[in-house]
Amino acid sequence: LLVFLHGRGGDERSELDEAFFGALAGLGSRAPIVALPAGGDHSYWHDRADGDWGRYVVREVIPEVVRRYGIDRRRVAIGGISMGGFGAYDIAREHPGRFCAVAGHSPALWRSGGETAPGAFDDAEDFARHDVIGAARANPDAFGDGQLWLDAGDEDPFRPGDDAMAAALGDRVTAKTWPGGHEDSYWNEHWPDYARFYARALAGCDLDGWRRRLG
């Protein structure tokens, strides 16, 4: 199962285009089932005043899709674009070891509360509770022992935060910088790369380690 989180202003249909379906088709039988939840306009996929968005993904979306399709609940990856990339890392931080892979594609990451976009967090305390760069600096393994990915275009406005995150994670993350900005044309070009990453990570997931973590 791949749980894929949309960006700000998007919805559960945002990725349903030719590039997305083409990348999955290219995987053949290795293609995961993909869950595309709706996260509101600017939830940033974390528990906050207007809803428990992170808990919704972990406690409602994943169990329901696992039940409906008979998926191995140990083989789950999480990723997303922009706001969704932040959300993927934040949810993984709160549930370390839950995911075989965690990926942010042009993730909306900030080094400090003062850099954040309006509406991304309720207040300074909310940012501090969900400071994924700070978490990575304190412990690069804070997101579990699954495979990590982070990519961004060389003209992306989130590059300062993304570069800081990649530096904090060090060799724990596969970090890519490709030509492009924060736009659909960039993500569509690299959907095949994303799909291959998720397929490899899910196929190689450490199921014995998953059992040990759950006791």
Side-chain angles (χ1 to χ4, degrees):
L1 170 62
L2 167 61
V3 180
F4 201 81
L5 310 178
H6 65 74
R8 182 166 185 163
D11 60 27
E12 67 276 20
R13 298 162 294 183
S14 295
E15 306 309 321
L16 300 182
D17 56 22
E18 183 178 350
F20 169 78
F21 288 115
L24 291 179
L27 294 176
S29 62
R30 297 184 299 133
I33 289 176
V34 184
L36 298 161
D41 179 76
H42 59 277
S43 70
Y44 283 81
W45 297 101
H46 67 282
D47 296 346
R48 55 189 304 183
D50 70 349
D52 291 338
W53 298 95
R55 294 182 188 180
Y56 154 67
V57 171
V58 173
R59 298 185 181 182
E60 297 184 42
V61 173
I62 293 175
E64 174 60 21
V65 179
V66 165
R67 181 196 64 79
R68 186 177 300 182
Y69 295 99
I71 296 168
D72 185 343
R73 66 191 184 102
R74 301 165 299 176
R75 293 189 186 273
V76 181
I78 189 167
I81 286 173
S82 191
M83 176 180 87
F86 164 81
Y89 270 101
D90 191 54
I91 291 171
R93 177 190 61 81
E94 294 196 331
H95 301 275
R98 179 64 184 85
F99 300 100
C100 297
V102 184
H105 311 297
S106 310
L109 303 178
W110 298 276
R111 297 166 295 180
S112 69
E115 293 180 343
T116 60
F121 299 91
D122 295 335
D123 49 34
E125 289 75 19
D126 187 39
F127 173 80
R129 286 192 296 270
H130 301 278
D131 178 6
V132 296
I133 296 177
R137 286 171 173 162
N139 177 15
D141 294 321
F143 308 94
D145 55 5
Q147 296 187 40
L148 306 181
W149 170 287
L150 192 155
D151 72 276
D154 57 4
E155 299 180 8
D156 195 302
F158 290 107
R159 276 288 304 282
D162 293 350
D163 288 349
M165 183 67 164
L169 290 171
D171 60 7
R172 279 288 291 113
V173 68
T174 298
K176 303 285 187 180
T177 302
W178 288 306
H182 199 80
E183 56 201 3
D184 286 339
S185 60
Y186 170 83
W187 302 312
N188 287 343
E189 182 177 352
H190 296 291
W191 253 114
D193 301 290
Y194 305 159
R196 288 191 293 268
F197 164 74
Y198 291 120
R200 287 194 301 267
L202 287 166
C205 194
D206 179 10
L207 301 186
D208 288 336
W210 199 94
R211 293 188 190 97
R212 288 193 299 271
R213 289 189 291 273
L214 291 189

